[in-house]
C-alpha cells in the first residue's frame, strides 16, 4: 500500500451517493444529478398490447406477459410508471468519475488502476472483460489485463493476484468468473487482498455491510447500483417496506442489507417462499434479482411501488434479428401500469454495474492514497 | 494452534443441531432430546387475569398486558401455547456437552478452555462472568479469568488477549462488555483471533453467516440458542414466514440470517417500521429481541405462530420481594392464547445463551484439534 503524504486526498468526492462510502467524502465538489422531475411519463407504442394477465405461479416462465384482450380505452385511461433511466444515470456517473480522476492526476499524480484476470476462452467472459476495459478507458482508469489459457494452474492465477496485490498502481483486482472447473474459486477469490476487492464479495465486507456501526470497504457493484438509482431519483427508502426477490451472494442478499442500512423494513423472498406475491404486493420498493423472465406480474405489485429489475433474461423472439430479446424478472407491460417508477430491461440496472465498478476503483485509489483515512477502513 | 495427529477428533459430536456446525460432525453419538410430545399444555394460576387488551402502539411500554375484563368462561374455552422450556433444554445440552468433554479428555487428553477478561468493577458484569465460570465448571471446561482494574490501559487488555490467542489450552476468548469508556471496544474485540472468537461477533463470521455456501466459524450464542430451541421442539422453519423484531448485531440480525439459512422467508421489523403488527401477524415464527417489555401484543400474533422471546426486561412489581419482575418483549398472557408455542421469560432463551457459549467452546476445541478439518474453516 502506498501512502502519499498530501492533503490532496481531501478534495476528491465519491461519485456514488451511498452512505457506506460517505465517511470518505471530506467534501463533495460534484453536484449529484437528480432525475425525478426531468423524466416524462413513459408511453409505449400503440403496437404493443397491454393488459393485466391472470395471476401466474412463480414457477412459470412467461416470455410475454401482456394479454391481447385489453381495449384501447383502457390504454388511454392508464397512467404509466416513470422510467428509471439507468443508462443515463450511468453515463452521468462516468462523467463525474472522469472529472474526479482528472483532478486526482493533476493534484497528486495518481491514476486509479483496475486489473482483470481472465482464464480460458469463454466468449461471454471475453466480452465482459472487454466492456470493463472500455469503460475504464472512457473515465481514465488504467486497466491491466492478464489472459491465461484454460489449462493454467491455480498457482499461476494466484501468482498474478499476488503481483497485483503488491502493485501500487493497481487499486482494484477482478477475477472474471466462472473459472475453469479444475480451479477452486473460493481459494482464488480469497487471495485478492481486501483493500483491492472492488467486487466487494469478501465475507469480511459482507459482514461489515450486515453490521450496524461497521462500514464495508466496498459495496458489491450491482446492489450498489440499485440503491444509487433510488438515491438519484430521490426515492425515499427510510421506513418503507422493501422486498428483495432472490438471495444470491452477489445481488439479493447485499441489496437487502443495503436497504436495511437505510432503514427500510426488508423481506427477502426466494425459491422456498410460499405465495411470494402476497409479500411483494405489500412492498413500496421491490428489487428483483432472480433470473426468471417476467416472473413478477402486475398483480404482485402494490399501486405506486418502485420497481428495480436486476434480471436480464434472453427470451425467444422470432421478430428480433438475433432471434431473442432481453426481458427482466418483472413483467414490464403489466407492472409499469401499477408502479410509480420502474427500471427498464435493458437500460436499467445493467449499465449501473460497470459504473459502480469504476466508482469502487476510484474509491479504492482515494482510500489507498488517503493518509487521514479512518482506522476502521484499514483491515 | 495445536494440531494433534489422531483420529479421536472424529468421535466427538456437536451438542447443537445447528446446520452451520454440521460439517464438523463426522458422526453424532448423542441422540438429541426432542420435546414437543413431552410438554403438557401450559395453564396458569387462576389468580392471573387474562384477556386481549386493545392494540397498543409499539412505542408504549406496558408493564402488565392483561385486562381484568375477561370472564372465567372465556378462560375455560381458551387453549394455551406449548411452553418451550429453555431451562430444561439448556440443562440437557450441558449434560450432552459434559459427556463429550469427558470422552474427549479420555481419548486425546484435551480439555476445552474458555478465557474471560473482565475490566472494572461493574457488579452485573461480575455476575455474568461468575455465571459463565460456574457453567464451565458444571460441564468440565477449564475457565481462565483475568480481572483488570477499571483504569487499566487498552494495551494491558490487548496483551492478555494476545497471550490467550497463543495459549493452546484456551479454545475460546470472551471480553466481558461493556468496557470502560476510555477503551476502544472494536480494537479490543478485533484482537481476539477468529478461531477463538466463541461469541461469533467478528464481521468475518457474520459475513460467512450471511453468504450461501459459506460457513461461519461460530454462530453468535443467543440467536444460536433460539434456533436450537426450534430444532429441539421439531418446529419446522423451511418455507415458513419468520419475522425478527430488532436488528442488533448480536441477536436480531444474526437470528434473521440463521432463519434464512434454513429457508424461512424472513422480514426484519425495527424501530423505523410503520405498523409492525401488520407484518408480525403474518409470521409463522416470531423472534423478538428488542428490549421493550410486553411490546408484542396478542393482536400482533397469527393464530398458531411460534414465539421466541429474547427480551428480558425488568418491570416494577411491588408484590415481588425484589420490587421488580422480569418480563419479555412479548405480552405472555395475551400471546400464549394465540400462539402454538412460546418461550417464557425467564426460563426461555436466557438459559440457552450460556449453553451455546459452552457448545461453541467445545466446538472450537474440537476444530482446533481436528486434523481433518475442512480448509474453509481455517482463516
Amino acid at each position: 500500500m502506498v501512502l502519499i503524504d498530501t492533503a490532496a486526498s481531501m478534495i476528491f468526492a465519491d461519485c456514488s451517493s451511498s452512505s457506506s462510502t460517505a465517511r470518505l467524502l471530506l467534501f463533495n465538489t460534484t453536484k449529484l444529478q437528480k432525475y425525478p422531475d426531468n423524466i416524462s411519463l413513459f408511453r409505449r407504442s400503440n403496437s404493443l398490447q397491454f393488459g393485466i394477465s391472470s395471476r401466474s405461479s412463480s414457477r412459470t416462465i412467461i416470455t410475454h406477459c401482456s394479454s391481447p384482450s385489453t381495449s384501447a380505452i383502457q390504454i388511454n385511461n392508464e397512467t404509466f410508471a416513470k422510467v428509471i433511466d439507468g443508462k443515463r444515470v450511468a453515463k452521468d456517473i462516468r462523467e463525474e468519475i472522469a472529472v474526479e480522476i482528472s483532478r486526482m492526476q493533476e493534484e497528486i499524480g495518481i491514476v486509479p488502476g483496475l486489473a482483470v484476470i481472465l482464464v480460458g476462452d469463454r466468449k461471454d467472459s471475453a466480452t465482459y472483460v472487454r466492456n470493463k476495459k472500455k469503460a475504464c478507458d472512457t473515465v481514465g482508469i488504467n486497466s491491466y489485463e492478464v489472459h491465461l489459457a484454460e489449462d493454467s494452474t491455480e498457482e499461476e492465477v494466484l501468482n498474478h493476484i499476488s503481483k497485483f496485490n503488491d502493485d501500487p498502481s493497481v487499486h482494484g483486482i477482478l477475477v472474471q468468473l466462472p473459472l475453469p472447473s479444475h480451479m477452486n474459486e473460493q481459494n482464488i477469490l480469497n487471495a485478492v487482498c481486501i483493500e483491492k476487492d472492488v467486487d466487494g464479495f469478501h465475507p469480511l465486507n459482507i459482514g461489515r455491510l450486515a453490521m450496524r456501526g461497521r462500514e464495508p470497504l466496498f459495496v458489491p457493484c450491482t446492489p450498489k447500483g440499485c440503491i444509487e438509482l433510488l438515491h438519484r431519483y430521490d426515492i425515499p427508502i427510510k421506513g418503507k417496506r422493501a422486498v428483495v426477490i432472490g438471495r444470491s451472494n452477489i445481488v439479493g442478499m447485499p441489496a437487502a442489507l443495503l436497504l436495511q442500512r437505510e432503514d427500510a423494513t426488508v423481506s427477502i423472498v426466494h425459491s422456498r417462499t410460499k405465495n411470494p406475491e402476497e409479500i411483494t404486493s405489500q412492498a413500496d420498493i421491490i428489487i428483483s434479482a432472480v433470473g426468471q423472465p417476467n416472473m413478477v406480474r402486475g398483480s404482485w405489485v402494490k399501486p405506486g411501488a418502485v420497481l428495480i429489475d436486476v434480471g436480464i433474461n434472453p427470451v425467444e423472439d422470432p421478430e428480433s434479428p438475433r432471434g431473442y430479446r432481453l426481458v427482466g424478472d418483472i413483467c414490464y407491460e403489466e407492472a409499469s401500469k401499477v408502479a410509480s417508477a420502474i427500471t427498464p430491461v435493458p437500460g436499467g440496472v445493467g449499465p449501473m454495474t460497470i459504473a459502480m465498478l469504476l466508482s469502487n476503483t476510484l474509491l479504492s485509489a482515494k482510500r489507498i492514497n488517503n493518509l487521514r483515512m479512518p482506522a476502521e477502513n484499514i483491515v
Side-chain angles (χ1 to χ4, degrees), chain A residues 9-23:
Chain A
S9 56
M10 287 181 65
I11 66 165
F12 302 113
D14 182 30
C15 294
S16 86
S17 60
S18 167
S19 63
S20 61
T21 56
R23 284 148 39 77

Side-chain angles (χ1 to χ4, degrees), chain A residues 166-178:
Chain A
D166 295 338
D167 184 344
S169 62
V170 170
H171 305 96
I173 302 170
L174 272 191
V175 181
Q176 185 65 45
L177 300 179

Side-chain angles (χ1 to χ4, degrees), chain A residues 3-63:
Chain A
L3 294 174
I4 295 178
D5 187 4
T6 170
S9 56
M10 287 181 65
I11 66 165
F12 302 113
D14 182 30
C15 294
S16 86
S17 60
S18 167
S19 63
S20 61
T21 56
R23 284 148 39 77
L24 285 174
L25 313 183
L26 301 173
F27 61 89
N28 190 327
T29 55
T30 311
K31 199 174 171 330
L32 281 185
Q33 286 277 358
K34 295 284 183 183
Y35 303 87
D37 300 322
N38 304 334
I39 299 297
S40 56
L41 290 181
F42 181 66
R43 295 273 181 271
R44 278 146 309 167
S45 135
N46 274 343
S47 65
L48 281 173
Q49 293 167 320
F50 306 119
I52 310 268
S53 304
S54 58
R55 283 186 179 228
S56 76
S57 136
S58 64
R59 293 283 164 270
T60 316
I61 294 179
I62 306 130
T63 54

Side-chain angles (χ1 to χ4, degrees), chain A residues 203-276:
Chain A
L204 189 55
N205 254 323
I206 298 294
R208 289 177 169 194
L209 195 63
M211 294 173 85
R212 302 188 83 189
R214 302 280 186 137
E215 297 291 335
L217 285 164
F218 300 103
V219 175
C221 301
T222 303
K224 183 176 178 177
C226 296
I227 303 299
E228 190 65 25
L229 286 175
L230 297 175
H231 287 175
R232 297 244 174 180
Y233 277 84
D234 268 342
I235 293 162
I237 301 175
K238 188 173 180 167
K240 299 295 177 189
R241 288 283 299 275
V243 170
V244 175
I245 311 178
R247 51 177 168 169
S248 69
N249 288 343
I250 58 173
V251 188
M253 180 269 297
L257 297 176
L258 281 170
L259 287 165
Q260 177 155 302
R261 282 180 91 86
E262 303 222 6
D263 287 334
T265 299
V266 185
S267 308
I268 301 186
V269 160
H270 50 74
S271 56
R272 304 291 178 189
T273 302
K274 292 168 192 160
N275 301 322

Side-chain angles (χ1 to χ4, degrees), chain A residues 351-370:
Chain A
M352 293 296 289
T353 299
I354 290 188
M356 292 298 107
L357 174 65
L358 304 176
S359 159
N360 278 353
T361 306
L362 170 59
L363 179 73
S364 177
K366 290 196 292 191
R367 182 162 41 214
I368 287 174
N369 291 287
N370 185 347

Side-chain angles (χ1 to χ4, degrees), chain A residues 230 235-244 259 263-265 279-287 300-308 338-341:
Chain A
L230 297 175
I235 293 162
I237 301 175
K238 188 173 180 167
K240 299 295 177 189
R241 288 283 299 275
V243 170
V244 175
L259 287 165
D263 287 334
T265 299
I279 304 171
T280 58
S281 60
Q282 297 172 5
D284 303 303
I285 298 167
I286 296 175
I287 296 182
W300 290 38
V301 178
K302 176 177 161 179
V306 174
L307 309 180
I308 307 290
V338 187
S340 65

Side-chain angles (χ1 to χ4, degrees), chain A residues 126-141:
Chain A
T127 306
Y128 294 139
V129 169
R130 203 166 45 243
N131 289 343
K132 285 168 189 170
K133 190 179 171 348
K134 215 187 290 177
C136 283
D137 291 346
T138 63
V139 298
I141 290 177

